[in-house]
């Protein structure tokens, strides 16, 4: 009640003036928020209860799109496929990016000469990631690509990575690790450099070995950085789009094995003009992302250590 | 501090230990693995189709085919795509950098009721996946007849400049000394003046970080131009290039030359702005 009153109580002139400026300064954000976040969000929720393909008027169909979503014999089959592909790629790629990124950061943290050069080498793939590198990888991982030629030398016949249903997702995972590790490395490195040398030296004096020092000092102090990288990695994984689009020419093939959720939404929008069903899929993705984020933040209270 | 750096330089003169040697060997090996695809690409883009198919492991061809690049330019409107990419990335970067600083000033310096609520909206926006917004946004831009113009790609960045950028700018501004703002107010300076004359110049390092990262983001952005710029003459380099994979599926020399052209500006920016990028990452990584 008291809080309620304070909202409407008259303010001193100077403070009121400051408030007015506050709203003026954040006005662009508010406009952007309403136009490019809030209204589209509401519109897509509304569309998910409709049937519309740009021609004619939208028709209310109630929960039909959501019924389609769970109808695994019909339209829902591809949705399930897209979600399971995306989940599989994320669950394998993100922990590997984290582990490799952390390992590189630990190596770089040992007062290395020529640090700038190494840093650049690891980070370059992250900066140029996207279509150009995905195109490059279609060549390296092609049937007669460089990787397979290398495998030939040791007597292994590699698959046509992006053309076979069994290997296409592994090819994408490979690309993601190559492209995503560098960013994480640099963020981990920044985190490692914040850890006080005194603490590590004190642990060493107390007789803690390398492994013990890592798990008892470094890892807990690095946990906020690990958490940050995890959240960023998960969001990136769940919105996977460019790599599957480029390697499959936008089709999500072969046999829908590279279809990601984002690619499916794109296809429903551009190819099928199935706005209602597409919006239902988009909302399902939003809910998944939100729930995962909440779970992530809840769990983080148990293992992330903030010293301030 | 001085004793430590003195000890360091002495260490540098000593003969390198086996442990250090292993460390450098590991780092160099992995760094090479990360860089190798680019070198292959550059070399491959200068080979003849026959040489590419022959399966030689030569990094660079004996007889470089610079004509591959000329052929790419002949076969696709690369120059147009390149120009479109530059216009869109530059405009979007200007918008994001300036308006995120403008809005962050409100959040970081000015006190108001509702400020926490509004900042909550900023954080919420970071978490909304872009995919949920594309269907209604696409419909509206299409109905307005603004697809195949840069407007759908550029305008949103002038309205707030992206929630994540506002967040970063606010963090940075909160670390600046407040007494200068108070002193300026006592002297009768208005908020716009304080923002422009005092805060903005002090934010130069943060502005540089946001500008560089946003430019890279805009240059690489794929989904938005793919949606809004379907006309081949209006589209950007990544979108145009994505068609190469299917169009030139057997003509690797053209694909490699095309993607080398798309990478070049980023590699240049990366080399020039290395320090800004490194500093930016430590800011992002340390203060969440």
């Amino acid at each position: 009640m008291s809080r309620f009153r304070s909202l409407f109580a008259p303010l001193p002139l100077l403070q009121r003036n400051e408030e007015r400026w506050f709203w003026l300064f954040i006005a662009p954000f508010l406009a952007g928020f309403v136009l490019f976040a809030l209204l589209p969000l509401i519109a897509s929720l509304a569309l998910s209860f409709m049937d519309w393909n740009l021609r004619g008027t939208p028709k209310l169909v109630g929960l039909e799109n959501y019924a389609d979503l769970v109808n695994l014999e019909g339209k829902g089959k591809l949705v399930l496929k897209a979600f399971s592909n995306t989940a599989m790629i994320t669950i394998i790629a993100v922990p590997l990016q984290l582990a490799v990124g952390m390992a590189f950061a630990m190596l770089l943290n040992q007062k290395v000469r020529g640090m700038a050069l190494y840093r650049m080498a690891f980070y370059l793939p992250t900066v140029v990631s996207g279509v150009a590198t995905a195109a490059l990888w279609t060549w390296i991982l092609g049937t007669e690509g460089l990787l397979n030629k290398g495998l030939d030398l040791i007597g292994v016949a590699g698959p046509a990575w992006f053309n076979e249903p069994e290997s296409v997702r592994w090819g994408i995972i490979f690309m993601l690790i190559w492209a995503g590790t560098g960013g994480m490395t640099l963020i981990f490195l920044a985190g490692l450099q914040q850890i006080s040398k005194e603490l590590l030296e004190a642990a060493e004096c107390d007789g803690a070995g390398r492994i013990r020092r890592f798990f008892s000092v470094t890892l807990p102090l690095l946990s906020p950085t690990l958490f940050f990288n995890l959240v960023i990695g998960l969001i990136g994984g769940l919105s996977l789009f460019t790599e599957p689009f480029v390697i499959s020419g936008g089709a999500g093939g072969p046999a829908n094995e590279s279809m990601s959720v984002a690619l499916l939404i794109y296809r429903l929008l551009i190819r099928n003009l199935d706005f209602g069903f597409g919006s239902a899929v988009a909302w399902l993705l939003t809910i998944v992302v939100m729930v995962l984020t909440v779970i992530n933040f809840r769990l983080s209270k148990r293992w992330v250590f903030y010293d301030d | 501090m001085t004793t430590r750096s003195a000890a360091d330089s002495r260490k540098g003169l000593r003969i390198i230990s086996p442990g250090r040697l292993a460390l450098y060997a590991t780092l160099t090996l992995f760094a090479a693995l990360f860089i190798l695809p680019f070198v292959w690409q550059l070399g491959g883009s200068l080979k003849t189709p026959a040489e590419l198919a022959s399966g030689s492991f030569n990094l660079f061809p004996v007889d470089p085919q610079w004509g591959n690049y000329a052929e790419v330019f002949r076969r696709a409107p690369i120059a147009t795509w390149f120009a479109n990419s530059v216009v869109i990335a530059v405009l979007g970067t200007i918008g994001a950098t300036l308006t995120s600083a403008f809005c962050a000033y409100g959040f970081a310096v000015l006190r108001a009721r509702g400020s926490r609520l509004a900042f909550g909206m900023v954080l919420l926006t970071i978490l909304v996946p872009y995919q949920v917004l594309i269907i209604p946004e696409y419909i509206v831009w299409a109905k307005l007849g603004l697809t195949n113009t840069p407007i759908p790609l550029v305008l949103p960045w002038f309205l707030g400049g992206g929630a994540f950028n506002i967040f970063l700018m606010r963090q940075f501004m909160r670390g600046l000394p407040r007494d200068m703002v108070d002193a300026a107010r006592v002297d009768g300076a208005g908020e716009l003046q304080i923002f422009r004359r005092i805060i903005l110049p002090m934010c130069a390092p943060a502005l540089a970080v946001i500008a560089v990262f946003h430019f890279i983001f805009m240059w690489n952005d794929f989904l938005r131009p793919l949606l809004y710029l379907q006309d081949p003459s209006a589209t950007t380099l990544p979108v145009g290039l994505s068609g190469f994979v299917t169009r030139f599926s057997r003509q690797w020399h053209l694909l490699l030359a095309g993607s080398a052209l798309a990478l070049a500006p980023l590699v240049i920016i990366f080399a020039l702005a290395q320090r800004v990028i490194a500093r930016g990452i430590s800011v992002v990584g340390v203060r969440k």
Side-chain angles (χ1 to χ4, degrees):
Chain A
M1 198 56 209
S2 64
R3 179 189 271 179
F4 200 73
R5 192 173 302 137
S6 78
L7 257 174
F8 294 98
L11 285 171
L13 187 68
L14 211 66
Q15 208 174 329
R16 215 167 9 171
N17 194 26
E18 187 168 340
E19 286 216 333
R20 224 173 275 153
W21 279 109
F22 169 78
W23 293 106
L24 186 97
F25 268 96
I26 72 161
F29 164 73
L30 289 179
F33 177 76
V34 171
L35 286 176
F36 298 114
L38 194 61
L39 288 180
L41 215 55
I42 295 168
S44 94
L45 185 63
L47 274 171
S48 74
F49 299 106
M50 294 177 193
D51 190 15
W52 192 32
N53 62 2
L54 209 56
R55 277 178 288 271
T57 45
K59 196 173 71 200
L60 262 176
V61 291
L63 289 171
E64 199 181 279
N65 290 322
Y66 289 93
D68 282 345
L69 212 55
V70 291
N71 174 16
L72 298 182
E73 303 294 306
K75 280 172 153 182
K77 199 175 168 197
L78 192 55
V79 178
L80 181 67
K81 185 85 199 123
F83 271 92
S84 71
N85 288 343
T86 310
M88 179 236 174
I89 291 170
T90 308
I91 288 169
I92 295 173
V94 174
L96 283 171
Q97 287 172 339
L98 290 171
V100 178
M102 198 189 286
F104 284 162
M106 304 269 305
L107 290 178
L108 283 175
N109 196 33
Q110 315 207 6
K111 288 209 176 131
V112 178
R113 266 155 192 276
M115 167 98 109
L117 224 58
Y118 289 117
R119 209 166 50 190
M120 195 164 163
F122 290 136
Y123 196 54
L124 191 64
T126 304
V127 170
V128 300
S129 65
V131 173
T133 49
L136 166 61
W137 281 98
T138 58
W139 174 58
I140 295 178
L141 295 183
T143 321
E144 284 141 30
L146 283 165
L147 185 68
N148 284 356
K149 277 176 200 154
L151 289 175
D152 271 350
L153 291 182
I154 53 169
V156 179
W161 293 89
F162 293 138
N163 294 324
E164 285 171 28
E166 296 77 26
S167 55
V168 63
R169 284 195 303 268
W170 291 101
I172 294 175
I173 288 168
F174 202 81
M175 255 161 49
L176 290 180
I177 293 169
W178 177 77
T181 301
M184 294 202 178
T185 302
L186 295 207
I187 293 177
F188 275 130
L189 187 60
L192 282 173
Q193 286 170 347
Q194 295 285 307
I195 296 176
S196 83
K197 293 277 174 298
E198 284 76 18
L199 222 50
L200 286 165
E201 276 159 20
E204 201 175 355
C205 285
D206 289 347
R210 259 170 197 279
I211 294 168
R212 183 68 203 273
R213 284 204 301 274
F214 175 73
F215 283 104
S216 302
V217 182
T218 310
L219 202 55
L221 290 175
L222 201 59
S223 58
T225 315
L226 182 60
F227 179 60
F228 178 82
N229 272 339
L230 178 68
V231 171
I232 297 287
L234 282 181
I235 291 177
L238 291 174
S239 51
L240 180 72
F241 179 78
T242 307
E243 288 84 356
F245 184 98
V246 173
I247 60 145
S248 68
N256 291 324
E257 293 291 326
S258 72
M259 182 69 79
S260 72
V261 180
L263 184 53
L264 177 64
I265 296 171
Y266 168 83
R267 287 183 65 82
L268 289 170
L269 169 64
I270 297 293
R271 303 279 155 100
N272 305 8
L273 296 177
D274 196 346
F275 300 157
F277 188 59
S279 298
V281 176
W283 263 89
L284 184 62
L285 176 67
T286 311
I287 291 164
V288 168
V289 170
M290 294 286 178
V291 168
L292 273 179
T293 310
V294 170
I295 292 176
N296 226 334
F297 273 88
R298 281 276 160 82
L299 284 179
S300 78
K301 292 199 177 106
R302 294 205 196 149
W303 64 272
V304 177
F305 173 78
Y306 292 99
D307 59 347
D308 46 46
Chain B
M1 220 31 218
T2 25
T3 51
R4 182 174 284 176
S5 61
D8 276 350
S9 56
R10 234 177 295 135
K11 221 185 271 172
L13 292 173
R14 247 188 295 167
I15 294 163
I16 198 159
S17 72
R20 300 289 293 176
L21 201 65
L23 172 68
Y24 281 107
T26 318
L27 276 174
T28 309
L29 177 74
F30 280 106
L33 276 179
F34 272 64
I35 291 296
L36 210 53
F38 296 116
V39 182
W40 263 330
Q41 171 182 42
L42 210 59
S45 72
L46 296 171
K47 291 179 180 175
T48 62
E51 208 173 350
L52 275 168
S54 75
S56 81
F57 275 97
N58 283 351
L59 280 182
F60 280 94
V62 210
D63 178 22
Q65 305 290 311
W66 296 103
N68 288 351
Y69 285 85
E71 196 180 342
V72 171
F73 273 94
R74 256 201 325 274
R75 303 265 302 256
I78 294 259
T80 313
W81 295 340
F82 198 92
N84 292 339
S85 275
V86 170
V87 167
I88 288 168
V90 167
L91 287 178
T93 303
I94 292 173
T97 313
L98 290 183
T99 62
S100 68
F102 190 77
C103 294
Y105 180 84
F107 286 117
V109 177
L110 300 172
R111 278 158 300 203
R113 294 162 301 173
S115 162
R116 284 174 69 91
L117 179 74
F119 195 66
M121 288 194 261
V122 175
L123 297 181
L124 195 72
T125 318
I126 297 177
L127 294 178
V128 176
Y130 182 62
Q131 287 82 4
V132 73
L133 310 173
I134 61 175
I135 295 180
E137 283 190 7
Y138 176 79
I139 295 171
V140 172
W141 290 121
K143 289 268 174 197
L144 290 174
L146 290 172
T147 49
N148 294 319
T149 72
I151 293 173
L153 289 121
V154 167
L155 182 72
W157 301 115
F158 278 87
L159 295 175
F164 194 62
N165 291 336
I166 295 181
F167 180 72
L168 285 182
M169 280 311 291
R170 170 187 172 264
Q171 297 298 95
F172 188 85
M173 284 183 191
R174 275 161 60 113
L176 297 175
R178 244 203 103 84
D179 24 333
M180 290 182 73
V181 174
D182 293 332
R185 278 194 192 142
V186 171
D187 289 344
E191 299 297 335
L192 282 171
Q193 251 182 318
I194 298 175
F195 169 68
R196 243 192 47 189
R197 298 271 164 79
I198 300 175
I199 297 291
L200 211 53
M202 287 202 285
C203 285
L207 291 170
V209 167
I210 288 179
V212 168
F213 276 83
H214 201 75
F215 186 89
I216 293 172
F217 166 80
M218 295 284 298
W219 188 271
N220 282 330
D221 192 17
F222 184 57
L223 180 53
R224 271 163 262 233
L226 185 69
L227 283 173
Y228 301 126
L229 308 176
Q230 293 176 22
D231 186 339
S233 68
T235 208
T236 60
L237 200 48
V239 176
L241 191 66
S242 73
F244 276 27
V245 178
T246 37
R247 232 172 92 199
F248 298 151
S249 63
R250 292 273 135 205
Q251 293 162 294
W252 292 113
H253 61 300
L254 297 182
L255 181 71
L256 292 173
S259 56
L261 286 170
L263 293 182
L266 288 173
V267 174
I268 292 167
I269 286 185
F270 184 63
L272 292 178
Q274 240 243 93
R275 271 161 202 277
V276 174
I277 289 173
R279 193 177 51 220
I281 285 174
S282 51
V283 171
V284 174
V286 176
R287 319 187 178 144
K288 273 140 294 286

